[in-house]
Amino acid sequence: MASVIEVALAPAEEQDLARACAAGDRAAQVRLFRLEVQPVHRLLHRVLGATPALEDLIQESFIRVFRSLASFRGDAHLGTWIARIALRVAYEHLRHARPAAARLEAVPDLPSGDPDAERQLVAREGLRRLYRILARLEPKQRIAFTLCAIDGQSQQEVAALMSASLVATKARIWRARREVDRLARLDPLLASLIGDAPEAAR
Amino acid sequence: MSARERTPVPPLGDAAVARIERGIFAALDRDAEWAAPLVPGVRRRLRGRAIAVVASAVAAAVALLAARQLGRAPGLPQHGARIATATSPSHLTVEGAAIDVAPSSAITFADERDGATVIRLERGTVTCEVAPRGARAPFVVEAGTTRVTVVGTRFGVTRVGDHAQVWVAHGTVEVGDDGVSQLVHAGERYVPGAAGPAGAVAGEEAPELEAEPAAAAAIAVRPAITGAMAEKSDPLSEKSGPLSEKSVPLSEESVPLSRLRERVRERADLASGSVRRSVPLALALSPAADRRGEGTGGSENQGTGKLPAPAAEQPPSPVAALSREPTPPAITRAGLRARFESAAALEVRDPPAAARIYRELASGSGPWAANALFAEARLSAERGQREAARALLSAYLDRFPGGPNADDARALLVRLKGGIDDHGALR
């Protein structure tokens, strides 16, 4: 299979593509899948970490997308609409099966201007431990926090993606941040990364 | 980690993408109507699976009922759905029609108040295999101002500016243009602007579909049945609707296009050989049928001979009059109802005028033709014209044996004949 190249579509093209997919046009469905599979993968990866269920969840997301495309009205970008569906799938996954902590080998390399390999290793281990903490959060708090802190979305964008009010979203992010902060301070490595010594060491 | 700074994620590998893609489309294939439960891996994780399955089944049943109420099958593309192709063709199945959209083409789906499925050809070429419509709502193809109503037949449309040329290989289609519609039968060609705004119908031999120039924007609609079977799907021969459906061993939704084409050819071969076409009485007597006979071989279009020649009878048989009066151009569908109602209003004040309008409507096709034919028969009976009424009722039962007034027609015929029913229903 050829490598997937992500190309942004104009709104009118998005509408045409969505309609063709909704009409059962297989070529259009394949095109949409190939356009959106990497963004969906990135989103789910950031929210859930490197879980073995990631491929299943991507597949489930797209099946729901294709089943629901007839209801796509074009109020939002197609990519945003698909992201909402993927997040709903992620939420159900978190609710029904608490994921294990991210595997070390699955944590990606972090880009760093610092060529120091040891520092990069520490960053990877820190990220792995962070996902272990995230696994202890309530699913909605976790999704809101990861979208904001790891996926880099604004609070407004997170609210829109989660179909929640801004106030509720802020509260979720704040509670998640507080819990992550509390748990991170108990971990020597994470505590050193955020600049504080662990409470146990005080 | 600061906000706005996204953690990099390694891209999903090609093998994983291919795996997911296969999984998705396998699930969608199993779930052709997009209503089946989820894929097994996810289904396993869902709680209350049994409840969900029952709920889905109930929802599907409700959706099916609702869709039937609306005269359209589930899976019909949403109103306004548009398919545009670039360099590669696209294929889909809609409402028993297999549709190929050629490269550089665009079609839009629409549905109308009466539930008709409408495909609008914006540009390029679309090829369809249309199964007989039976009791379902019409299937319509529009190209510019030209509107072609499909009843399960084979024809082609070539877009010419805002209009289109239409040729018919088998069966009959109704072509509307600039507010005027007319029937085009097998072997005829409709040419826009050739004679008046509605164009003219010429009795020339229809070309083979494959012989049409590919560059022209052509719609080709082929039936799942042709030849003798296509005759039975003619709108003027509604009695054959259920028969033809029963006779065609096709699963309209699942047979691939290539297989449909093979069957079309097989049926065409059969039809050109030993199978004799049967034409209903009114059609055989109509000028349109005469024209068709010229185009496809008149020997095929003989009447059934059930009615005696009415020329010597007084008053003259309205059925016989059908063969002498030229068929006026049909009115648009919206106008048919108004025309019928105007005749109903005239019944008391001017019965002959009402009968003339009914006769004119009855020479067409569709539900208003059925209504008009029965109304004319009833009016004749009320005016004491028993012979004419009997002839009209027999013609009605020949053409519309399952029509809305079929039972009334049989009962009235029995009364007029003193208890004898040629059609056997009330014996």
Side-chain angles (χ1 to χ4, degrees):
Chain A
M1 197 187 111
S3 293
V4 174
I5 300 170
E6 293 175 43
V7 179
L9 293 178
E13 278 182 302
E14 280 189 355
Q15 286 282 357
D16 287 347
L17 187 58
R19 283 177 185 153
C21 290
D25 182 345
R26 181 52 52 88
Q29 289 172 345
V30 170
R31 184 173 174 225
L32 178 61
F33 168 74
R34 292 181 182 174
L35 275 173
E36 293 294 336
V37 64
Q38 295 294 358
V40 167
H41 169 248
R42 279 196 296 270
L43 181 70
L44 291 177
H45 192 288
R46 284 175 182 141
V47 169
L48 302 174
T51 164
L54 211 53
E55 281 188 25
D56 277 355
L57 297 174
I58 295 170
Q59 179 174 314
E60 169 59 11
S61 300
F62 277 99
I63 289 170
R64 290 195 192 184
V65 164
F66 290 128
R67 283 178 177 155
S68 313
L69 262 173
S71 65
F72 176 66
R73 297 191 305 270
D75 297 339
H77 282 296
L78 191 54
T80 307
W81 187 79
I82 292 171
R84 279 192 199 129
I85 291 177
L87 286 175
R88 209 168 301 141
V89 170
Y91 173 69
E92 287 171 12
H93 172 73
L94 290 172
R95 274 186 62 201
H96 295 109
R98 281 299 177 94
R103 292 169 299 172
L104 180 60
E105 67 274 14
V107 177
D109 289 340
L110 293 176
S112 170
D114 189 344
D116 183 7
E118 188 182 352
R119 184 167 173 175
Q120 196 170 77
L121 194 65
V122 168
R124 290 181 64 184
E125 176 59 17
L127 194 57
R128 189 183 72 84
R129 292 186 186 198
L130 174 63
Y131 274 105
R132 200 162 57 189
I133 289 174
L134 292 176
R136 297 170 67 173
L137 296 180
E138 192 272 327
K140 285 182 182 172
Q141 289 179 17
R142 174 179 177 167
I143 291 173
F145 177 76
T146 49
L147 286 174
C148 185
I150 300 178
D151 198 36
Q153 308 267 1
S154 70
Q155 292 183 340
Q156 286 85 354
E157 287 168 335
V158 174
L161 279 172
M162 296 185 71
S163 304
S165 70
L166 184 57
V167 173
T169 303
K170 282 181 176 177
R172 283 172 189 161
I173 293 172
W174 181 80
R175 287 192 189 111
R177 198 183 293 280
R178 187 182 59 179
E179 184 67 2
V180 168
D181 194 52
R182 187 183 70 80
L183 293 171
R185 286 176 195 285
L186 299 175
D187 184 301
L189 177 63
L190 290 175
S192 68
L193 286 173
I194 59 177
D196 282 336
E199 286 178 356
R202 281 177 185 171
Chain B
M1 183 178 306
S2 65
R4 309 289 172 277
E5 183 184 316
R6 296 186 174 193
T7 308
V9 174
L12 201 59
D14 284 353
V17 171
R19 248 190 333 266
I20 295 169
E21 186 177 319
R22 277 197 304 273
I24 291 168
F25 293 115
L28 292 179
D29 285 340
R30 285 194 302 271
D31 182 19
E33 298 299 333
W34 295 2
L38 307 175
V39 290
V42 176
R43 194 167 45 198
R44 192 174 55 240
R45 292 189 291 274
L46 291 179
R47 285 183 188 165
R49 182 172 51 182
I51 295 172
V53 169
V54 171
S56 300
V58 171
V62 170
L64 186 64
L65 283 173
R68 289 193 176 199
Q69 286 280 24
L70 293 170
R72 60 203 290 263
L76 183 66
Q78 197 182 23
H79 175 87
R82 183 171 184 272
I83 295 175
T85 54
T87 54
S88 53
S90 202
H91 172 71
L92 66 154
T93 303
V94 175
E95 280 272 89
I99 300 171
D100 275 338
V101 185
S104 305
S105 304
I107 60 171
T108 309
F109 288 92
D111 46 28
E112 298 185 342
R113 220 174 280 173
D114 61 358
T117 303
V118 180
I119 291 180
R120 295 205 175 98
L121 177 67
E122 295 175 14
R123 64 171 189 272
T125 302
V126 63
T127 305
C128 309
E129 301 273 1
V130 181
R133 304 303 294 164
R136 289 179 294 179
F139 191 99
V140 176
V141 181
E142 286 186 350
T145 61
T146 305
R147 179 184 168 95
V148 184
T149 304
V150 184
V151 292
T153 185
R154 179 185 183 186
F155 69 95
V157 181
T158 302
R159 181 135 186 185
V160 185
D162 287 337
H163 301 267
Q165 285 190 17
V166 182
W167 58 266
V168 179
H170 296 286
T172 303
V173 299
E174 183 180 342
V175 179
D177 201 352
D178 285 340
V180 179
S181 64
Q182 53 192 292
L183 297 177
V184 182
H185 301 286
E188 292 179 344
R189 178 186 284 272
Y190 167 85
V191 182
V201 175
E204 65 180 80
E205 191 65 36
E208 275 301 304
L209 182 69
E210 289 73 15
E212 287 291 297
I219 304 168
V221 180
R222 301 185 197 177
I225 56 168
T226 57
M229 301 304 292
E231 282 296 323
K232 290 187 176 297
S233 68
D234 189 299
L236 296 174
S237 178
E238 292 194 359
K239 71 176 178 183
S240 59
L243 175 66
S244 55
E245 296 235 340
K246 198 188 298 176
S247 307
V248 181
L250 292 178
S251 167
E252 295 170 3
E253 305 298 331
S254 60
V255 176
L257 191 61
S258 56
R259 183 69 194 120
L260 277 171
R261 284 188 178 129
E262 283 172 24
R263 290 185 181 180
V264 166
R265 288 190 194 103
E266 287 165 11
R267 300 281 186 190
D269 293 341
L270 273 176
S272 62
S274 58
V275 183
R276 177 187 167 85
R277 288 170 163 182
S278 65
V279 180
L281 174 66
L283 179 60
L285 292 175
S286 73
D290 294 341
R291 282 204 310 273
R292 186 168 59 163
E294 291 163 17
T296 58
S299 62
E300 293 176 347
N301 292 335
Q302 298 303 311
T304 59
K306 282 187 181 178
L307 281 183
E313 292 181 5
Q314 285 299 329
S317 163
V319 176
L322 281 177
S323 65
R324 293 194 299 270
E325 292 181 1
T327 308
I331 314 166
T332 56
R333 185 175 299 171
L336 291 173
R337 183 192 184 95
R339 192 92 174 116
F340 184 89
E341 286 171 353
S342 71
L346 279 173
E347 274 193 17
V348 176
R349 188 158 36 95
D350 189 356
R356 270 199 305 277
I357 296 172
Y358 285 142
R359 201 173 308 146
E360 171 197 316
L361 289 172
S363 67
S365 63
W368 289 110
N371 289 346
L373 188 52
F374 177 77
E376 189 187 0
R378 177 187 44 75
L379 183 59
S380 297
E382 286 169 2
R383 295 170 68 196
Q385 299 169 348
R386 295 172 64 90
E387 288 301 315
R390 283 172 53 187
L392 287 164
L393 289 168
S394 293
Y396 179 91
L397 290 171
D398 279 335
R399 287 177 59 185
F400 310 109
N405 295 110
D407 289 341
D408 296 334
R410 289 190 185 96
L412 186 53
L413 199 55
V414 168
R415 219 165 57 220
L416 291 170
K417 288 182 175 179
I420 301 168
D421 181 7
D422 282 350
H423 296 268
L426 298 179
R427 272 178 191 166

